[in-house]
Amino acid sequence: MRVKRYVVDSMPDALQKIRSDLGKDAVILNTKEIRSGGFLGLFGKKKIEVIAAVDGPGSAPGSGARQTAPRAAAARAPAAPRPAAPVAILEPEQLSFPEVPDVLPPAKPAQQPEPAAEPKGAPPPPQVSAAGVYSPPKPAPAKSREDLLFEELKQMREMMQKLSLQAGGGEAAVPVTAPRVRERLAEQEVDPLLVDMWLDRAKADADELGEPLTESLASRSVRSQMAGLLRMEGHKAIAPQTKIAHFVGPTGVGKTTTIAKLAAEQVLKHRRKVGFITSDTYRISAVEQLRTYANILNVPLEVVFSPQDLLKAFAALEDCDLIFMDTAGRNFRNEMYVSELNTLLRTQGDSETYLVLSLTTKYKDMKAITGNFTKFKLDKVLFTKMDETDSYGAVVNLVHDFGLQLSYVADGQNVPDDIAELDEQKLIDSILEELPDE
C-alpha cells in the first residue's frame, strides 16, 4: 500500500493531484485544516492536509486495465476523449479522524493459525476495512439504571422461587389467589411486602379450614390483621396530664390550623386554660395567623426566636393548663433541621410531641421525615388533608414501619370542626372499600 500526504489550498486541487499520482483506485484516509507559513505560528495561511492511499506496490496514473485495439484501427479512428477517472472518497463521517491512522499490512492467508475461541465477555476484535484501515471497536452501550434494577428484581424472584421449591419439598408453591383484594391494596399504596404477608396468612387460614381462598375470606382475614396492627392501647387524644403539646412537621401540612382546632376543643369542651408558643418566624404572617386564633379564643401567645427565649415564655404561661407549641416547617428530610428543632422541644412537666403529616405526601418522603424524627422524642402522629386524597395506605405503612401511636386526623379547613380522633374501623373500610367480607 502506498500512502501519500498532500498540502493544498482546496479539495479540487487535492483530488487532481491524487488522481494524477495514485490513480483512480486511490482512497482518501484523512483531511484536516492546518496553517502554513507565518511567524511563530501566527499569520499563517490556511491549508488543507489530505492523506491518501492506494493498494499495490506502485499504482501509476492511468495504470488500470485498458482495452487494446489494433494499431491500424487506432490510426484510422481518432481516439475519443476519456472521462476523468473517478476517485474513491470516504463518507464524511469516515474523514473525521484526529490523526493519520495506522496502516496494517495485508494478512497472510496460508500461514495464519486458526483464531482461538474468545472468552465470554471479551471485547470484539479490531476491524480492518477493505482499504486496510484500522477501525476501533465500538464500545457496548452502558445499561441504564432501570435495566439494572429489572435484572436485580428478576434475580430476586428466581431466588424466591428456588427457596419456595426447597421449602415445599421440590413442589412449586401454590399461588395466592384473591386478586381483587391485592389490587385494592395496591391502589391504596399499601406496602407490597405487607400485602404479601397478609395474603399468605389468609391462605394459611383457608388451608386450616380446608376451604379455597375466596375474595370474601381474604377480605375478612386482611381486615382482621389490619385492625390488629392499628389497634393500640395508648390514648389518641391529648392526655389530661399533658402540660405541653409540641407540633412538628414539614412545610405546608397545616400545623398552625391544626393547633387552632385542638385548642378550641380544649377550651370549649374540656374547659382548660390554654396558651400558645410559636417559633415559626420563618414563614410570612405565620405569627399573625396564630395571633388571630389566640384573639378569637382569648388565650395568650408568646413568640420565641431561640431556645433561650423558651424559659421566659414558660414563665409567662405558667398558669396555663396546656401550652400548644407551634414550630417552623422545614425540610425535615434533612436530619440537621430535625436536630436544630429538637433544641426547642424542652419540657416543663409532662409533654407530648405530635408529628403532623399530610396524607397527600408520598410515603417515601413520609418515611424519611419520620425516620429522622424518631431519633429524638416523638410520641404520636397526626394526619391532615384526608379530604384531599382517596389513598390511605400510608397510615398503615407508617404504623407498621415505626409503631407510632395514632392520634387525630383532619379532613378540612374549618376551625374548630374538621378534626377528630382517627377511627381505625372507618380507615379499614375506606381502604378495603367495595370488597366482600361475608
Side-chain angles (χ1 to χ4, degrees):
M1 172 176 287
R2 294 180 56 200
V3 180
K4 196 167 183 180
R5 175 178 177 268
Y6 300 89
V7 178
V8 294
D9 294 326
S10 64
M11 283 303 297
D13 296 341
L15 296 177
Q16 185 176 359
K17 290 184 178 182
I18 293 170
R19 186 183 301 117
S20 62
D21 291 348
L22 302 180
K24 66 177 182 178
D25 296 327
V27 176
I28 294 178
L29 301 179
N30 187 31
T31 63
K32 69 177 180 179
E33 189 177 276
I34 63 174
R35 287 187 177 272
S36 177
F39 177 71
L40 297 178
L42 302 175
F43 312 109
K45 186 178 180 182
K46 290 185 178 180
K47 297 281 188 177
I48 300 176
E49 180 188 74
V50 181
I51 306 298
V54 66
D55 286 332
S59 297
S63 61
R66 297 182 181 179
Q67 294 181 354
T68 59
R71 291 184 178 180
R76 287 194 301 268
R82 296 185 62 188
V87 177
I89 303 174
L90 296 180
E91 295 296 329
E93 58 269 13
Q94 294 175 309
L95 298 178
S96 58
F97 296 107
E99 299 178 357
V100 179
D102 297 334
V103 179
L104 303 179
K108 298 178 181 180
Q111 300 177 357
Q112 294 243 353
E114 299 233 348
E118 296 182 358
K120 187 177 180 181
Q127 302 294 326
V128 181
S129 66
V133 181
Y134 168 75
S135 298
K138 296 182 179 180
K143 292 185 179 180
S144 63
R145 292 180 60 186
E146 290 78 6
D147 294 338
L148 295 175
L149 181 60
F150 178 76
E151 290 183 1
E152 185 175 351
L153 291 174
K154 184 178 179 182
Q155 293 174 2
M156 291 177 63
R157 179 180 297 177
E158 292 175 353
M159 182 182 68
M160 294 298 295
Q161 290 177 351
K162 291 179 180 178
L163 292 175
S164 299
L165 289 173
Q166 292 175 2
E171 297 180 359
V174 179
V176 177
T177 56
R180 287 183 58 194
V181 177
R182 182 181 294 276
E183 181 180 357
R184 178 62 184 177
L185 293 173
E187 291 174 357
Q188 289 292 306
E189 300 180 6
V190 179
D191 189 343
L193 295 178
L194 199 55
V195 175
D196 290 339
M197 182 179 69
W198 287 343
L199 290 181
D200 288 343
R201 178 59 185 271
K203 181 66 172 62
D205 293 342
D207 292 341
E208 290 181 3
L209 297 174
E211 300 178 3
L213 182 61
T214 61
E215 298 287 349
S216 60
L217 182 59
S219 178
R220 287 199 305 271
S221 178
V222 170
R223 285 176 184 271
S224 175
Q225 295 178 72
M226 195 182 302
L229 174 65
L230 298 177
R231 191 180 301 115
M232 295 185 180
E233 299 297 331
H235 293 284
K236 299 175 190 173
I238 298 175
Q241 69 273 14
T242 298
K243 178 68 175 178
I244 303 175
H246 304 104
F247 290 82
V248 299
T251 58
V253 296
K255 292 188 298 296
T256 304
T257 304
T258 300
I259 288 174
K261 294 176 182 179
L262 295 176
E265 179 189 40
Q266 294 295 318
V267 170
L268 302 176
K269 183 177 179 181
H270 300 287
R271 303 297 178 181
R272 300 181 72 181
K273 190 173 181 179
V274 170
F276 288 155
I277 295 178
T278 180
S279 63
D280 190 0
T281 56
Y282 295 92
R283 187 166 55 93
I284 298 176
S285 301
V287 175
E288 293 304 318
Q289 180 184 4
L290 192 60
R291 193 184 303 278
T292 300
Y293 290 133
N295 292 335
I296 293 173
L297 296 173
N298 193 26
V299 299
L301 169 67
E302 296 291 329
V303 181
V304 299
F305 295 91
S306 66
Q308 290 74 21
D309 296 335
L310 276 177
L311 296 177
K312 298 178 182 178
F314 287 141
L317 301 176
E318 63 180 354
D319 59 338
C320 293
D321 300 322
L322 177 62
I323 298 173
F324 288 90
M325 183 170 178
D326 189 13
T327 60
R330 305 289 294 276
N331 176 19
F332 292 121
R333 287 174 57 89
N334 189 330
E335 186 178 353
M336 180 185 69
Y337 291 146
V338 180
S339 179
E340 290 177 358
L341 177 60
N342 187 57
T343 62
L344 290 173
L345 304 183
R346 297 184 180 179
T347 60
Q348 296 286 329
D350 293 330
S351 67
E352 290 181 340
T353 301
Y354 289 78
L355 175 61
V356 183
L357 296 173
S358 169
L359 284 174
T360 59
T361 305
K362 293 185 298 185
Y363 180 67
K364 180 180 179 181
D365 296 328
M366 282 190 192
K367 188 174 182 180
I369 294 168
T370 308
N372 285 336
F373 269 108
T374 51
K375 299 173 185 177
F376 304 99
K377 184 177 183 295
L378 191 61
D379 300 298
K380 299 177 182 178
V381 60
L382 186 155
F383 292 97
T384 62
K385 302 186 181 182
M386 191 174 187
D387 57 316
E388 298 181 19
T389 182
D390 57 0
S391 176
Y392 314 112
V395 179
V396 180
N397 297 339
L398 203 71
V399 173
H400 176 262
D401 290 341
F402 297 97
L404 292 178
Q405 170 70 54
L406 297 173
S407 59
Y408 297 92
V409 60
D411 57 356
Q413 298 289 326
N414 295 326
V415 179
D417 298 328
D418 300 331
I419 193 168
E421 295 180 23
L422 189 144
D423 187 335
E424 295 92 344
Q425 193 56 51
K426 216 170 178 184
L427 178 67
I428 294 171
D429 291 339
S430 299
I431 293 176
L432 295 176
E433 187 181 19
E434 300 179 358
L435 289 176
D437 57 358
E438 296 181 359

